[in-house]
Amino acid sequence: MKRNHKEIEAIIDNVTSRIRAEEPSASIVNDAAQRAWARIAAETATTTAATEEATAVEHIRGCADFQSLIPAYLKNQLSDARRLLLEDHTQECIPCRKALKEARSGRVAASATQAGAQKKAQASQTPVWRWAIAATLVVGFTFAAYTLFQRYTYSYGVAGEMYAAQGTVYKITDTDSRPLAVGEKIQRGEKIRTAKDAGATLRLNDGSLVEMRERSEVYVSENSGGTTINLARGNVIVEAAKQRDRHLYVATTDALVSVTGTIFSVNSATKGSRVSVIEGEVHVDHQGQDRVLHPGDQTTTGVSLEPISIKDEIKWSRNAERYTNLMTQLTALRKDLNTRVPRPGVRYSTRLLDLMPEGTVLYGALPNLTGTIAESHRIMQERIKQNPALREWWGKENQQSKADGANLNQVIDRVREFGKYLGSEIAVGAQLGQQGEPEYPLVVGELSDAAGFRPFLEQQLAHLKSQSGGAPSIRIIDDPATAAPQAADAKAHEVLVWIQGDIFAAAPKLEQLQRLAATMKAPGTNTFTQSPFYARISETYREGAGLIVAADLEKIVPQMMQQDAKQAGGQQRADMFRELGLTNLKHFMVEQKEAGGKTLSRAMLTFNETKRGIPSWLAQPGPMGALEFISPDANIVTAFVVKEPVALVDDLLGALEKVQPDLRKQLNELQTQHGLDVRKDFAAPLGGEFAFTIDGPILPTPSWKMIFEVYDQAKLQQTFERIVEEVNRIAGREGKGGLQWERASVGGYTFYTLRSVDFGLEVHYTYAGGYLVVAPSNGLLSNAIRYRDAGHTLLHSARFKSALPQDGNANFSAIFYHDLAPLLEPLAERAAKSKNLSEEQQAALRQLGADQPPTLAYAYAQGDRIVLAANTEGGPFGISPASLLGMPNAFELQHIIGDSIKPEQPVEKQGK
């Protein structure tokens, strides 16, 4: 007999009302309690804390409840309904996904533990047993309904089709298998397997292509977060279609790969999984660790599974030649754009800054880049016509653009035409809104052809109207004072445009243009020009401005903290920010410009108070003696000077103590148990200089070195010896070998070797000239001392000197330097021996080494400000000709390096 919805509700109401009305006798309650406690006591030894947390949660109301289920989930102790709920939630919730990763790696999130403790405390104080059965019925009914919804909505239906096949491809079930024909639909959950010497290409519903190698098996599943390609074994290459609100996943037995649109390879094998990226960005989750891969990157999940060149990894693909050609041509195109396209010059004054309204907290200024964009596009089209690989790639990109309602060629043409009317600069300013965030931007710009701009703009608006079938929400006004006010029900995104002389302005509110008109009539009345924020921006213009982004943090940070304080844990975070000195931030300035033939990228932070926190850590520019232990041929160098290591440690501990109040207690226990004090034993003996370098061959083992300035060598060595004693004491209790010391005196220096008996790892160090030098071998230590004694150091390198900025500072507070050119010649030789690259590619690699300039990023700590800068192509903003058109970061130097670093083996013929 079928029952309708109202009858089911009546039955549930009847059951719950009877439970509420039931009054068991005291003897029944006592007997039940005794039986329960007896059973709990009997199962204590085998019942884990994770199970207790899972059973303590009766209702899932938010993230805290989901996180309390994580331990039980990892032990497979959750019901199917809760497991599905948790998996779906963690795909969409970043904090819970992070908590799950931390739990997998052994670090259970504190928030989940605290939430579980609070739940258990409440359960012990509140008599909820009366509601247990009713809650189980209601929650169980809800979970069952949700589970059925997930299963019937996402577990069944067509996932895609067999797009192409070579050889025999099978559809596998538990009891049978049958051949699958090209064009046949593939259902979600159906297992597809390629036979020996066979291959297949699946096309998913979203347009993604999945190429399968021989002996590979996959099935496709789906949930609200996206589509998952479950790779049971074998190799696939995925050309993922552009994802909008969802993700595309590839799941192996030990890794989860997620993308939003890219080309990548996944190999699921006996030793583990190997993920390689051809184009785009890929996230790989393995054992709770999330690694981000970019073009040319590769990662493996097994210690016995070594990386190989991506070229070899994908050579089985029928598209292998196309991928290789595309890589080579895109790399050449990027270089061509960077060298042939002219850059905009700097500006030493501006009228636009004076037009910003009172209360402006965010300011940005952009030079007229339309000429640069148009020239980049012209060169791009020129190269595309000359090369088939680029034509094919561009055709796919254009097809995707058209699918999104855009035609790049038309857009570039309009940008070029629009740029004819503009002056040298466009600026935007914003004020703080009620939520403490910048809002209601005001855009102002100069016009080089004021008379022709309005007719051009009206023509473009009319064209948009005819194309879209509706009037665009842009209104041109003649005078803000007499313009019709915006209706109360006006479009939320209406933009008002006003043209006055050779200035145009655009804003979402009429009041903004009215204030601007008043400022232009009486320039001296604008109080913004008297503010420190205005003065700071003006200073940048006087030094020569390119791209500028500035923020008045003195006003923004307090508002943000006030809003954050209303959230859970907000006060703790505010206290931590104060300890770090972040509440003393004043202004933030970012700029990028051409200087001396180089792209100078610079960021500046200014502070109101510099006695604690971040502004008190980095020392003013000073000599770096640690660089004297580094050779002129070093590939990577980072070095910095700090004011006082002990003060830095105190600030960090003080900040951490705000979010973890028992930190000081834990450190005291550490000191009591092991006799170690982080502040006195580690920080106090050190000086103010630190350096790290890759200085020598990177194959087979990178030649790294670390250099620390030391004021109290005896104290630091005593600390090291005490650490070894404690480690060996603990290792002895667990039957391990621990650590072994070796000492050798050579040339008046004592060389220390510290070796792990259990893992075979070792580190070498020595003290020289007031510095501690650490390296993976004694040979590198001896070389470092010889460099210093002979004056053969990085400071005398011609390439290092060529990267130094031209300014008034004699020293740095911190540097990051890399020079990859010395690496490329040996890589080319290795590639020639192993025959992994063609002669043309080897020549390109050598030429790239000859053309690759060194890069230097540096910092100056100057009283109330810290300046970060870099002399590099494109800089940290990526505003280079190669990136103006959204060129993919697909085929960088890593690709060539990856192709050459591999064992030598005979060349195999590749079939298409």
Side-chain angles (χ1 to χ4, degrees):
M1 177 179 178
K2 295 183 179 179
R3 297 182 183 272
N4 59 32
H5 182 68
K6 291 184 178 180
E7 289 176 326
I8 293 174
E9 286 187 344
I11 292 172
I12 295 176
D13 290 341
N14 186 35
V15 171
T16 55
S17 63
R18 289 185 180 182
I19 293 171
R20 288 195 298 266
E22 182 183 0
E23 290 290 343
S25 64
S27 60
I28 293 177
V29 175
N30 291 334
D31 291 343
Q34 290 176 3
R35 288 194 301 271
W37 280 115
R39 185 167 183 177
I40 290 172
E43 295 181 354
T44 297
T46 57
T47 303
T48 63
T51 305
E52 292 175 0
E53 288 180 328
T55 57
V57 179
E58 294 180 359
H59 303 275
I60 300 179
R61 299 183 177 88
C63 290
D65 293 328
F66 274 114
Q67 291 180 22
S68 68
L69 297 176
I70 289 175
Y73 170 77
L74 296 177
K75 294 180 178 296
N76 295 320
Q77 294 173 340
L78 287 181
S79 64
D80 288 342
R82 290 197 171 194
R83 176 180 57 78
L84 288 171
L85 277 177
L86 181 63
E87 289 175 350
D88 188 69
H89 178 75
T90 52
Q91 285 186 358
E92 299 177 350
C93 177
I94 294 176
C96 288
R97 184 162 67 248
K98 181 179 180 182
L100 178 59
K101 292 176 183 178
E102 291 177 345
R104 279 177 172 158
S105 61
R107 303 188 305 273
V108 180
S111 60
T113 304
Q114 294 171 357
Q118 292 174 356
K119 289 283 184 182
K120 286 185 278 187
Q122 293 171 359
S124 64
Q125 297 172 4
T126 306
V128 296
W129 67 270
R130 297 172 181 270
W131 300 91
I133 300 177
T136 302
L137 286 174
V138 175
V139 174
F141 183 82
T142 304
F143 284 169
Y146 186 84
T147 302
L148 289 174
F149 174 79
Q150 287 277 350
R151 289 186 180 277
Y152 283 105
T153 302
Y154 296 115
S155 298
Y156 301 98
V158 175
E161 66 175 355
M162 175 67 70
Y163 183 68
Q166 306 84 40
T168 307
V169 183
Y170 293 95
K171 181 184 293 186
I172 306 295
T173 67
D174 292 338
T175 58
D176 193 17
S177 64
R178 69 171 182 84
L180 191 66
V182 173
E184 187 173 345
K185 299 299 182 183
I186 299 170
Q187 302 294 317
R188 295 175 187 147
E190 288 185 335
K191 296 179 180 178
I192 309 300
R193 184 184 298 170
T194 52
K196 181 180 182 298
D197 297 327
T201 301
L202 313 180
R203 182 166 62 186
L204 305 185
N205 290 336
D206 64 359
S208 298
L209 297 178
V210 183
E211 185 180 8
M212 300 174 59
R213 193 180 184 180
E214 63 170 345
R215 300 184 183 277
S216 300
E217 180 180 308
V218 303
Y219 71 90
V220 180
S221 60
E222 193 170 354
N223 61 23
S224 59
T227 302
T228 301
I229 303 164
N230 298 273
L231 179 60
R233 67 181 71 89
N235 299 55
V236 295
I237 296 177
V238 181
E239 292 193 34
K242 299 295 183 183
Q243 307 293 311
R244 297 187 182 276
D245 301 325
R246 305 172 65 190
H247 284 74
L248 181 68
Y249 302 92
V250 176
T252 68
T253 56
D254 60 355
L256 180 67
V257 183
S258 61
V259 301
T260 56
T262 181
I263 303 176
F264 63 101
S265 165
V266 182
N267 185 348
S268 179
T270 304
K271 290 183 178 181
S273 301
R274 181 189 286 126
V275 181
S276 311
V277 182
I278 300 169
E279 180 185 86
E281 181 178 283
V282 170
H283 292 251
V284 181
D285 184 350
H286 170 58
Q287 292 183 347
Q289 300 295 321
D290 188 10
R291 182 176 178 187
V292 180
L293 303 182
H294 295 100
D297 288 346
Q298 186 180 88
T299 187
T300 62
T301 62
V303 294
S304 59
L305 185 61
E306 294 184 352
I308 64 173
S309 76
I310 295 180
K311 181 180 179 181
D312 274 4
E313 180 71 357
I314 65 172
K315 67 182 180 182
W316 58 270
S317 169
R318 61 192 180 95
N319 297 314
E321 184 176 355
R322 174 169 66 88
Y323 293 145
T324 303
N325 290 339
L326 181 60
M327 171 193 69
T328 304
Q329 294 302 321
L330 279 175
T331 302
L333 174 58
R334 184 182 296 274
K335 180 179 177 180
D336 206 6
L337 291 175
N338 285 333
T339 55
R340 293 174 56 186
V341 176
R343 314 296 176 84
V346 298
R347 309 175 305 285
Y348 292 93
S349 63
T350 181
R351 293 185 295 158
L352 305 183
L353 179 61
D354 293 350
L355 302 179
M356 292 296 131
E358 180 184 2
T360 297
V361 297
L362 188 66
Y363 177 82
L366 183 72
N368 187 346
L369 296 173
T370 55
T372 301
I373 294 174
E375 180 64 12
S376 296
H377 185 68
R378 187 192 65 77
I379 294 174
M380 195 177 203
Q381 294 300 313
E382 177 184 296
R383 294 294 297 268
I384 287 172
K385 291 178 182 179
Q386 299 171 358
N387 186 269
L390 286 180
R391 279 201 302 272
E392 182 181 359
W393 167 77
W394 183 251
K396 291 185 177 181
E397 291 293 315
N398 242 354
Q399 185 177 3
Q400 180 63 45
S401 298
K402 291 177 181 178
D404 293 337
N407 185 309
L408 186 56
N409 290 331
Q410 294 179 358
V411 171
I412 295 297
D413 289 340
R414 290 187 181 178
V415 166
R416 182 189 294 110
E417 190 174 359
F418 187 76
K420 295 178 182 178
Y421 299 96
L422 296 180
S424 61
E425 183 180 41
I426 298 176
V428 58
Q431 299 168 284
L432 280 180
Q434 294 180 351
Q435 301 299 322
E437 297 179 355
E439 61 181 11
Y440 298 137
L442 170 67
V443 179
V444 292
E446 296 177 319
L447 295 172
S448 59
D449 184 359
F453 180 69
R454 178 161 181 165
F456 169 75
L457 183 59
E458 290 173 339
Q459 178 186 6
Q460 295 302 312
L461 293 177
H463 177 74
L464 289 175
K465 180 179 179 180
S466 64
Q467 292 291 319
S468 62
S473 55
I474 301 176
R475 178 158 57 109
I476 302 176
I477 63 176
D478 296 317
D479 186 350
T482 59
Q486 293 169 290
D489 58 346
K491 296 179 180 179
H493 300 292
E494 183 183 33
V495 176
L496 304 176
V497 177
W498 176 46
I499 303 170
Q500 177 65 22
D502 62 346
I503 296 290
F504 81 91
K509 297 294 182 181
L510 180 60
E511 294 83 356
Q512 294 174 275
L513 298 182
Q514 290 172 343
R515 288 195 295 268
L516 174 61
T519 298
M520 295 177 68
K521 290 180 180 179
T525 61
N526 187 4
T527 57
F528 174 68
T529 59
Q530 307 302 318
S531 67
F533 187 44
Y534 172 91
R536 180 65 200 89
I537 300 172
S538 298
E539 181 182 338
T540 301
Y541 276 101
R542 288 193 295 271
E543 295 172 354
L547 169 69
I548 298 176
V549 177
D552 191 350
L553 300 181
E554 194 172 23
K555 295 179 180 177
I556 295 176
V557 171
Q559 289 283 350
M560 292 177 59
M561 293 184 63
Q562 184 177 353
Q563 294 295 325
D564 185 59
K566 300 176 183 178
Q567 308 296 325
Q571 188 57 51
Q572 288 181 324
R573 289 191 292 271
D575 293 340
M576 180 181 68
F577 291 158
R578 290 189 185 93
E579 290 291 330
L580 294 176
L582 297 179
T583 56
N584 294 319
L585 286 168
K586 188 175 182 180
H587 299 142
F588 176 61
M589 177 76 64
V590 176
E591 60 175 320
Q592 180 176 303
K593 63 184 177 182
E594 292 296 309
K598 301 177 182 178
T599 301
L600 172 63
S601 303
R602 185 172 70 168
M604 179 184 296
L605 275 172
T606 58
F607 299 83
N608 285 315
E609 195 261 323
T610 61
K611 294 183 179 179
R612 64 174 182 176
I614 293 174
S616 70
W617 298 349
L618 205 61
Q620 291 188 0
M624 295 181 177
L627 300 181
E628 297 177 1
F629 293 92
I630 301 174
S631 79
D633 301 320
N635 307 124
I636 297 175
V637 179
T638 182
F640 54 94
V641 290
V642 300
K643 292 180 180 178
E644 179 55 59
V646 173
L648 190 155
V649 170
D650 287 342
D651 286 342
L652 288 175
L653 293 179
L656 292 174
E657 196 173 9
K658 297 300 180 182
V659 295
Q660 189 176 352
D662 60 344
L663 175 64
R664 191 73 61 177
K665 178 182 177 182
Q666 294 175 0
L667 291 176
N668 291 336
E669 291 176 354
L670 175 67
Q671 182 178 354
T672 302
Q673 294 174 4
H674 305 289
L676 295 172
D677 187 314
V678 174
R679 186 178 185 275
K680 295 180 180 179
D681 296 332
F682 289 96
L686 297 178
E689 289 183 52
F690 303 88
F692 172 84
T693 179
I694 301 293
D695 190 4
I698 62 171
L699 300 173
T701 301
S703 303
W704 59 267
K705 285 190 301 229
M706 291 190 292
I707 303 103
F708 304 85
E709 186 182 22
V710 179
Y711 287 162
D712 192 339
Q713 174 179 326
K715 176 68 173 179
L716 186 61
Q717 182 60 29
Q718 183 182 10
T719 299
F720 290 159
E721 293 177 356
R722 191 156 64 248
I723 292 174
V724 172
E725 290 176 1
E726 288 298 307
V727 170
N728 287 340
R729 183 173 61 83
I730 297 173
R733 290 203 308 258
E734 298 179 357
K736 303 292 184 180
L739 303 174
Q740 287 184 346
W741 282 109
E742 289 183 11
R743 294 174 174 83
S745 295
V746 179
Y749 298 97
T750 301
F751 291 83
Y752 298 86
T753 300
L754 193 57
R755 181 178 293 106
S756 170
V757 177
D758 304 296
F759 301 102
L761 303 176
E762 60 183 47
V763 65
H764 302 256
Y765 69 92
T766 188
Y767 298 95
Y771 291 87
L772 169 68
V773 186
V774 188
S777 70
N778 279 335
L780 288 172
L781 296 179
S782 299
N783 288 339
I785 295 174
R786 283 198 292 269
Y787 296 148
R788 186 201 58 171
D789 293 345
H792 185 65
T793 71
L794 181 70
L795 298 175
H796 297 89
S797 164
R799 290 180 67 83
F800 177 75
K801 290 182 177 180
S802 69
L804 295 176
Q806 297 178 359
D807 56 32
N809 293 284
N811 294 294
F812 301 97
S813 299
I815 65 167
F816 175 76
Y817 169 80
H818 74 75
D819 184 7
L820 300 180
L823 295 177
L824 300 182
E825 179 64 28
L827 285 175
E829 293 177 0
R830 184 181 178 90
K833 292 179 181 179
S834 61
K835 300 181 180 181
N836 292 324
L837 299 178
S838 66
E839 292 184 0
E840 181 182 355
Q841 290 172 321
Q842 294 171 31
L845 183 59
R846 292 189 180 93
Q847 184 61 39
L848 182 61
D851 297 339
Q852 184 76 17
T855 295
L856 177 67
Y858 50 93
Y860 299 132
Q862 299 170 327
D864 67 340
R865 64 189 59 184
I866 296 176
V867 178
L868 307 171
N871 292 335
T872 177
E873 176 59 46
F877 316 112
I879 308 291
S880 64
S883 61
L884 286 172
L885 298 175
M887 289 275 292
N889 288 331
F891 304 99
E892 299 286 358
L893 180 63
Q894 308 98 296
H895 237 318
I896 302 176
I897 294 177
D899 283 341
S900 59
I901 301 178
K902 58 165 292 180
E904 297 180 13
Q905 49 185 288
V907 178
E908 299 180 8
K909 274 191 175 181
Q910 296 182 10
K912 293 185 181 180

